[in-house]
Amino acid sequence: MKDIARDLGVSVITVSKALRNHSDISPETRARVLKRARELNYSPNLAARALVTGRTHLMGLVVPDLVHSFFAEIAKGLSGILRNSGYSLLISSSEENPELEKQAVDQLLGRGVDVLLVASAQENVDAFQHVTEKKVPYILVDRSFSGFAANFVGVKDETVGALATEHLISAGCRTIAHIGGTHISTAAGRLEGYRRTLSQHGILVRPEYIVSADKSDESADNAGYQTAMKLLSLDLRPDGIFCFNDPVAIGAMKAILESGLRIPEDVALIGCGNLHFDDALRVPLSSVDQRSEMIGQRAGRLAISLIEAEFPVRPKSIFLEPKLVIRESSKRPR
Amino acid sequence: MKDIARDLGVSVITVSKALRNHSDISPETRARVLKRARELNYSPNLAARALVTGRTHLMGLVVPDLVHSFFAEIAKGLSGILRNSGYSLLISSSEENPELEKQAVDQLLGRGVDVLLVASAQENVDAFQHVTEKKVPYILVDRSFSGFAANFVGVKDETVGALATEHLISAGCRTIAHIGGTHISTAAGRLEGYRRTLSQHGILVRPEYIVSADKSDESADNAGYQTAMKLLSLDLRPDGIFCFNDPVAIGAMKAILESGLRIPEDVALIGCGNLHFDDALRVPLSSVDQRSEMIGQRAGRLAISLIEAEFPVRPKSIFLEPKLVIRESSKRPR
DNA sequence: TTGAAAGCGGTACCAA
DNA sequence: TTGGTACCGCTTTCAA
């Protein structure tokens, strides 16, 4: 900037203003500045700008697992919105570990991100009080905390659970099990949708049909495999299994087939997330699409609006409509 | 910092030094400073620090596709190494588009990243001259440019191609086709390995067996599907197909099965990347593992060493050993 | 329409 | 071992 100013015989301030399209600069001065800036291949020092404006133009995203393509798709959607917005994206993975998530959030806050987006692995909301104190706006993505008002983008998990369960029922299943997750809102919501739908259809909700794939010490598909095996060994074997996500469903698929059972004839199967390769699985997997990429996009737009809001705004929840995707794993002959 | 200094009756400089474990501060002063800093929940303004030191402690990673789990795993490995290192990771996706990649790189350079890691979608190395000028160290990941000396972490693609082809031959295939990619080093290297191995075994390299899945206008699996269909309609149908990555192989798998052929009896299939869910596919897919997560880890360590090097160091290539993973898709009865 | 002065929150250099 | 001064590169406020 100094160089440009010197070369043109104007002040640094003038250059600064011209570069940012400030109103009170004559068109010709601006043109000259822009020209020289291009010639010198100038690009502003964002750290310096951040120091004085207090805005870093950095966004932080924390996901439980980058390799789970559901979250990768969210990141992709977000990344697309941010392109050409002037914002850069810091991504951290918590590995589904609440403690690591806290560290990641702290690191991002220390970085001075303008906004934080988190698909949280926390069991409760305590960790976010801390974020609120720092006055950094944040958005919960995919996973929320019941009874806690915060910006949120995702689907209504009860609807997800209801859609999946309803579908299994209409496919002729009557003994429907559910493999859920632990501690997180998505698990609770989907379970609730499952329960409600069964009840509405006058189907008994059996406690032994509700199990959770605890993946604290193993991968999701492994957990799904183990859990499904238990379900299949019950006296009254379920004829349909609704899994709270696709990786778990993949594990369950393996368990069912290894037990010599057919999908969907003996056991119908449905997951959540509609991963890109669901179609190419051993048995193409039915799933509830959660609009993962769209979640990222909407979250990105909301994030920008939050940053640019003059005053703190009331938390806003954006609910996307989940969509049933039916594939072989649940197409039962009537 | 000012507050701490005031509270303790020392200078800001003393605080600064104490906080950074600078040698010439008395242990007791340091202890007092640390204590007060903790009480005040102080965290340094990284933008300010970056401004004066010229180091942002930011790393930039550009990948062609976040949703392709091969790259997600690289990001995961990298992210793991960076945890607690004081570095944060900016991630951008180029969507396999050279132009978008350039933009992403420029944005990251503008951000002042201390180092850049790129799995490049460029056809040639021109775009990196630009990076070199900025004197920002960078590492090519997975994909390199032939004859261009740069830091690199990945596998030797010729070995990958050789491993896969060798395996198909030993599985009894004699008419082996290859679905490659376009313009990038990995595609060229794997093709070369394929050629060389066939020749070594005295098998004719037929041009009509070498096709490329151009995914400029469609997804990789779709491209794989289309391309495989062409191969299957040849007069002399191949009895084995080596695909240059797993998404393409998934498309090819679909094509083969839809054509009423069996895998591996009629056509054996192998891909590259060893994606996590290869095991759960319609036909479990043989693949060459490229140690994706390890690539991320090694790249991360190299990146840190590059930043901390006093003097520019000679570019270093780290080659990991690819590993054959045999699954149903290539287990042919002898 | 332009520019001077001040300062954002730190750190480096050198003197005390 | 401690601290003063200057400055990193930019923006904001206000005066010219």
Side-chain angles (χ1 to χ4, degrees), chain B residues 11 13-14 17 24 26 29 52:
Chain B
S11 78
I13 298 90
T14 306
K17 286 178 181 169
D24 45 47
S26 74
T29 312
V52 50

Side-chain angles (χ1 to χ4, degrees), chain A residues 234-301:
Chain A
L234 291 176
D235 283 342
L236 181 56
R237 201 184 60 213
D239 60 5
I241 303 182
F242 158 42
C243 299
F244 100 116
N245 71 21
D246 282 349
V248 164
I250 289 173
M253 184 182 293
K254 187 175 170 215
I256 298 168
L257 297 176
E258 272 189 17
S259 303
L261 298 168
R262 295 164 303 166
I263 303 175
E265 294 83 350
D266 298 318
V267 185
L269 191 62
I270 185 166
C272 297
N274 193 26
L275 303 190
H276 184 246
F277 51 83
D278 277 353
D279 213 20
L281 296 176
R282 182 80 53 110
V283 181
L285 180 66
S286 296
S287 190
V288 180
D289 188 297
Q290 293 167 70
R291 329 297 297 273
S292 44
E293 192 163 344
M294 176 84 82
I295 290 180
Q297 295 171 353
R298 299 296 296 270
R301 291 209 203 94

Side-chain angles (χ1 to χ4, degrees), chain A residues 20 38 53 124 128 139 143 150 162 165 191 209 217 253 326:
Chain A
R20 285 172 300 140
R38 191 148 317 124
T53 60
N124 59 55
F128 286 90
I139 301 176
R143 306 172 176 188
T165 311
L191 172 59
Y209 275 3
D217 49 340
M253 184 182 293
I326 301 171

Side-chain angles (χ1 to χ4, degrees), chain A residues 36-57:
Chain A
R36 190 76 190 123
R38 191 148 317 124
E39 286 167 9
L40 293 180
N41 202 353
Y42 166 85
S43 82
N45 181 322
L46 270 1
R49 183 177 286 174
L51 186 55
V52 47
T53 60
R55 290 268 176 85
T56 57
H57 286 265

